[in-house]
Amino acid sequence: KDIELLFHIYSGRIVQDFYGGLGLFIINKNDKIKFVTNPDKTYDAVFSMSNGQLSALIISFTLALNKKYSSSKLLLIDDPVQSMDDMNTAGFIEVLRNDFNDAQIFLSTHEQAMSTYVRYKFKKFNLDSQRINLRDDDDSLQELE
């Protein structure tokens, strides 16, 4: 119950292409959680979602939990957009940029274009970002030490 509203908002912003930005609902019956498109439905939405949509659902759920319960201002997210389409990715970055702008975020990705896009979107809101390439850049590795 504590995260229902946050989850509904985050899933509405991230799972945009499948549900038209309306968001998912959490139904908790008999200690089992279901994610549904409408509170009156009993069919769990996860059975009709693509891999990218499932990733977006899990990220929405995790971010809602973090926002409600975490006392830490640190987010570590490993390659969250690897199976998301562009619309879901844009929604995800908007959630991070707007709702977690006071957090230190470590976001790993193997895609250079994604790294550039994230840093661009954060820069537009005057939020600092830094790229660290662990594969090619020896100077970046030395900065971490």
Side-chain angles (χ1 to χ4, degrees):
K1 293 273 184 209
D2 292 347
I3 66 162
E4 280 184 85
L5 182 60
L6 284 171
F7 174 73
H8 184 70
I9 293 168
Y10 293 166
S11 65
R13 295 182 73 197
I14 300 174
V15 192
Q16 292 180 19
D17 64 331
F18 190 75
Y19 295 106
L22 299 176
L24 295 166
F25 297 89
I26 300 172
I27 303 296
N28 184 359
K29 289 187 179 176
N30 302 326
D31 293 328
K32 292 184 182 182
I33 295 176
K34 286 185 182 181
F35 300 99
V36 296
T37 58
N38 183 315
D40 299 327
K41 293 192 177 185
T42 59
Y43 184 75
D44 198 329
V46 299
F47 296 118
S48 61
M49 299 177 111
S50 70
N51 284 341
Q53 292 160 341
L54 287 171
S55 292
L57 178 142
I58 296 300
I59 288 170
S60 300
F61 187 68
T62 304
L63 289 176
L65 287 170
N66 182 280
K67 190 71 168 179
K68 181 66 180 175
Y69 297 116
S70 180
S71 60
S72 173
K73 295 294 182 187
L74 179 66
L75 287 174
L76 304 169
I77 308 172
D78 182 28
D79 212 1
V81 298
Q82 67 181 344
S83 58
M84 281 190 212
D85 63 15
D86 292 341
M87 186 179 292
N88 290 343
T89 299
F92 169 65
I93 300 305
E94 292 301 311
V95 167
L96 289 181
R97 185 173 83 162
N98 291 304
D99 290 11
F100 294 89
N101 58 5
D102 61 340
Q104 183 171 8
I105 302 169
F106 288 85
L107 181 71
S108 71
T109 182
H110 62 277
E111 300 175 35
Q112 175 62 34
M114 181 52 53
S115 172
T116 303
Y117 175 71
V118 170
R119 287 182 285 118
Y120 167 77
K121 294 299 277 186
F122 275 66
K123 184 177 180 178
K124 295 287 277 182
F125 268 47
N126 295 319
L127 298 171
D128 292 331
S129 66
Q130 180 180 358
R131 175 181 172 262
I132 300 173
N133 186 337
L134 297 178
R135 184 177 65 195
D136 299 331
D137 192 357
D138 290 336
D139 293 334
S140 292
L141 288 174
Q142 291 175 357
E143 288 177 26
L144 293 174
E145 294 176 352

